[in-house]
Amino acid sequence: MSLLPGSAVSEGENDMAGGNFNGRSPRMPAFPTPTWPGIAPRPVLPGAAGVLQQRLVSPPAAPLRPGYTVPLAIPRGTLQMRPALPVPAGGTTIQMAARARKKKVKRDPLRILTPRERRQQRINTVREIIESYLVKQMSHLVYKKAIHRSKLFAGVKRRIVHPVRMSSERLVVRHIATALLAQDPGMTEVQTAISHKSRTIYIASNSKQSVLEGLVAGDLSGLSVPAPSGHPGREGRHMTKLQREKAGPYASYKLVVIKGREGQHAETKIVDAVAAFDYIGGTRRPCLACTLYMLQKGVAPSKFNPHPGAYWNSNQALLSFGSGSGDVGASVSGIVRRPDMPFDTHYVSEGLASSKMYDYDTNSETEEEAPLRRSSRLRGRKG
Ligand SMILES: [Zn+2]
């Protein structure tokens, strides 16, 4: 290497300025290992198939010495790994700080509430009733997935629910919900209600409502159902049965998508918009909040799964209570104290894996051939 005359730069320093870390410098040690001070190595989490999910740990933001650049290549096998941090129940620290700032703003107590505040007040009223009364009965926090951001409570008495023979209405609404949700699980949940009087099947999803609209048009006979072969187990079985139902007595029933607030639980959107239907169901049993909501709205218990699901203490689960008028506290208080409401019981479908327990509806349907006719309760009615 030839240096220009008069240059005082030594070869070692020249290497540093060029970012070459292979050469050792008397001033800077070679990059040792990617272990940064203050960050303890975390345990390695095995993934579903034993594959390691790796996340790079960011180096601490410390001022770099002049001439020191972060190496681009880290030797193989020396990555630090840590699991994704769970979001705390109260939200992220940024969200909590924003809430604290908001609280500090003094409000005139006699000021008229904004619609948003009124909604939140109604939601909080119901939450207080549920959490002061029902959570005492349910009392235990149960298994939940990392993606669930809210707490999950279920009744203390465990009851195994055996497969039952279901009405054709109950079957068809379940099968439609399964086939649609399978096409985009991002919708979180799809619920379906059937009305013989209006010859209509109403469909709603928790989220991604425009995706649902794109999947549904026309009548049941025109609904596109994914090939069952690509969906093993329960989903595939429902799709196979739905293919048959498309040519059955409900073939000409119109399919109508019902929209509501983003995130609001699907069954409550339908209950809000449709005055009368014969049965409502989906892939999951209605959660505790939705069960309360439907009872409060006067939906007969025979029109939905009588076994309430778990209680999530999220705003979304209680969103349905936010709109409307009247004393929501009084009506919900009346329902939670009804002795016929088995909120202390935790229903588990027979043979269901524990990881699916809070994801899936209900009783299994028996695998014997279900007759393609209306249930006896409804037989004989015209329309
Ligand atoms: Zn719900």
Side-chain angles (χ1 to χ4, degrees):
M1 171 183 264
S2 69
L3 294 171
L4 290 170
S7 166
V9 181
S10 77
E11 199 164 334
E13 280 171 329
N14 202 23
D15 280 346
M16 287 307 293
N20 179 356
F21 272 79
N22 295 327
R24 285 186 176 271
S25 153
R27 293 184 193 172
M28 291 291 302
F31 186 73
T33 65
T35 310
W36 291 283
I39 300 179
R42 304 270 183 145
V44 175
L45 290 185
V51 179
L52 299 182
Q53 291 181 339
Q54 302 189 345
R55 286 185 121 232
L56 255 179
V57 179
S58 310
L64 295 173
R65 275 197 257 171
Y68 186 94
T69 50
V70 177
L72 293 175
I74 294 171
R76 267 164 191 262
T78 57
L79 290 178
Q80 286 189 25
M81 291 154 222
R82 67 176 182 189
L85 292 174
V87 176
T92 64
T93 45
I94 294 169
Q95 288 167 338
M96 285 193 277
R99 275 205 299 275
R101 268 201 308 280
K102 236 184 192 174
K103 268 188 190 165
K104 275 186 194 158
V105 181
K106 288 221 167 138
R107 298 257 188 223
D108 173 2
L110 295 177
R111 185 180 54 92
I112 295 170
L113 298 177
T114 64
R116 191 194 166 101
E117 286 167 337
R118 228 179 6 252
R119 201 161 58 233
Q120 194 57 49
Q121 201 179 54
R122 290 172 64 88
I123 289 173
N124 289 344
T125 301
V126 177
R127 175 179 283 129
E128 247 168 59
I129 293 166
I130 293 180
E131 295 188 4
S132 65
Y133 183 76
L134 288 177
V135 167
K136 270 186 214 145
Q137 290 190 43
M138 300 181 133
S139 78
H140 75 308
L141 188 62
V142 292
Y143 163 90
K144 63 185 185 120
K145 289 184 177 176
I147 54 161
H148 295 145
R149 295 189 176 193
S150 46
K151 287 184 186 166
L152 174 63
F153 296 89
V156 284
K157 292 182 199 160
R158 192 178 155 103
R159 211 187 104 189
I160 304 291
V161 182
H162 305 292
V164 292
R165 190 163 181 144
M166 296 179 183
S167 70
S168 62
E169 290 87 353
R170 186 169 178 183
L171 291 170
V172 77
V173 298
R174 282 159 62 89
H175 301 160
I176 293 170
T178 301
L180 290 169
L181 186 62
Q183 294 176 67
D184 190 341
M187 293 189 285
T188 312
E189 168 63 351
V190 172
Q191 291 265 328
T192 312
I194 185 167
S195 164
H196 294 309
K197 196 175 174 196
S198 63
R199 300 180 67 83
T200 304
I201 292 169
Y202 303 94
I203 309 170
S205 64
N206 284 21
S207 12
K208 287 194 162 185
Q209 303 181 93
S210 47
V211 170
L212 180 66
E213 276 185 315
L215 295 172
V216 173
D219 57 20
L220 179 60
S221 67
L223 181 68
S224 87
V225 178
S229 54
H231 299 268
R234 178 185 195 273
E235 284 186 359
R237 288 198 302 274
H238 281 201
M239 289 165 186
T240 305
K241 290 173 185 173
L242 184 57
Q243 296 283 16
R244 209 173 64 234
E245 283 159 334
K246 276 172 64 177
Y250 311 131
S252 64
Y253 279 34
K254 276 194 311 264
L255 301 182
V256 174
V257 171
I258 303 288
K259 291 169 85 170
R261 289 187 175 281
E262 179 68 19
Q264 184 184 341
H265 287 191
E267 54 271 60
T268 63
K269 289 175 184 172
I270 296 176
V271 167
D272 279 344
V274 182
F277 51 80
D278 294 283
Y279 195 84
I280 186 166
T283 73
R284 296 158 166 90
R285 61 178 91 230
C287 72
L288 177 80
C290 289
T291 300
L292 288 173
Y293 188 72
M294 290 197 278
L295 291 170
Q296 186 229 353
K297 284 286 214 171
V299 180
S302 60
K303 291 186 176 180
F304 57 95
N305 187 328
H307 303 138
Y311 167 63
W312 275 266
N313 70 342
S314 67
N315 242 15
Q316 284 193 341
L318 298 167
L319 210 51
S320 49
F321 289 101
S323 43
S325 56
D327 188 348
V328 69
S331 55
V332 173
S333 296
I335 296 166
V336 295
R337 283 168 176 77
R338 267 166 58 172
D340 60 326
M341 289 301 139
F343 293 132
D344 56 348
T345 305
H346 172 201
Y347 297 98
V348 179
S349 298
E350 190 174 40
L352 203 62
S354 65
S355 61
K356 303 245 167 182
M357 228 166 261
Y358 303 98
D359 277 356
Y360 283 91
D361 179 58
T362 164
N363 321 359
S364 307
E365 49 199 67
T366 56
E367 287 307 314
E368 59 186 287
E369 287 291 294
L372 284 178
R373 56 176 158 74
R374 290 177 184 184
S375 61
S376 53
R377 179 168 57 86
L378 298 154
R379 223 179 301 151
R381 191 198 282 185
K382 286 193 180 164

